[in-house]
Amino acid sequence: MADFKDSSTPWNYVNEARKIIETTSATIWQQEHWEQIIQLREVFDFLGSGETYGLANIMQLLNDQAIIAAQKTGNHLCAGRYLHEKGQALHRQGKHKEAIQAFNTSYDHYQIAGAPFNARESLHMTSLCYRALRETALAKKIIAQVLLE
């Protein structure tokens, strides 16, 4: 186990966190412990939210694993949230078409989970992606749909 008291700089902390996430996620992924993948994702949620410098790649991998784990366990609320967060990250990276796919799948999971507010939020985000792609007519149509739901 990592000894954080010797981590004198933030960069050392990031390296230790990366090692913990990589080794733990690899082990539980290989053993197909889906609930533990979701738990690991929840424990390190604060790192993914801000896309912590130096951890973005491993957090994206953990988020992708958690999406699959949530889908396999039928946890549609978690799957919706993880997909929504993935869509936000892709949108910030300028990958709008990929973000739309993530938001649409998030919307579907939220609908199944009975979370209409969250579903509308994912739908709204697709409109922002379409606006970024200069498909304003479609973006406006989606906004109208969001307001009517």
Side-chain angles (χ1 to χ4, degrees), residues 6-146:
D6 292 336
S7 299
S8 57
T9 67
W11 187 246
N12 288 340
Y13 173 79
V14 168
N15 284 332
E16 291 300 322
R18 181 185 307 110
K19 289 177 193 174
I20 291 168
I21 295 167
E22 284 177 345
T23 56
T24 306
S25 68
T27 300
I28 59 181
W29 179 260
Q30 192 174 42
Q31 296 171 356
E32 297 183 1
H33 291 297
W34 307 126
E35 289 292 339
Q36 289 179 350
I37 291 282
I38 294 169
Q39 290 172 355
L40 184 66
R41 167 63 174 76
E42 291 297 318
V43 166
F44 289 101
D45 184 57
F46 70 98
L47 294 175
S49 301
E51 295 177 3
T52 305
Y53 181 75
L55 289 175
N57 289 342
I58 191 66
M59 290 307 298
Q60 286 175 358
L61 173 64
L62 181 57
N63 194 57
D64 287 343
Q65 289 176 337
I67 290 167
I68 293 167
Q71 290 171 331
K72 286 185 176 285
T73 60
N75 190 334
H76 295 287
L77 199 55
C78 281
R81 183 164 60 92
Y82 302 154
L83 282 156
H84 185 90
E85 291 173 6
K86 178 178 182 167
Q88 288 177 323
L90 291 166
H91 180 56
R92 282 192 296 276
Q93 295 168 17
K95 299 176 181 177
H96 306 296
K97 290 180 181 179
E98 291 175 54
I100 290 167
Q101 290 175 339
F103 288 129
N104 283 336
T105 308
S106 171
Y107 175 87
D108 293 340
H109 280 287
Y110 280 140
Q111 289 287 77
I112 294 167
F117 177 80
N118 302 81
R120 282 192 301 275
E121 189 176 21
S122 289
L123 188 59
H124 173 252
M125 288 302 297
T126 64
S127 74
L128 298 178
C129 293
Y130 282 116
R131 186 181 71 183
L133 292 169
R134 291 188 161 72
E135 295 185 37
T136 53
L138 185 52
K140 288 178 184 179
K141 182 179 176 182
I142 292 169
I143 287 293
Q145 182 181 350
V146 168

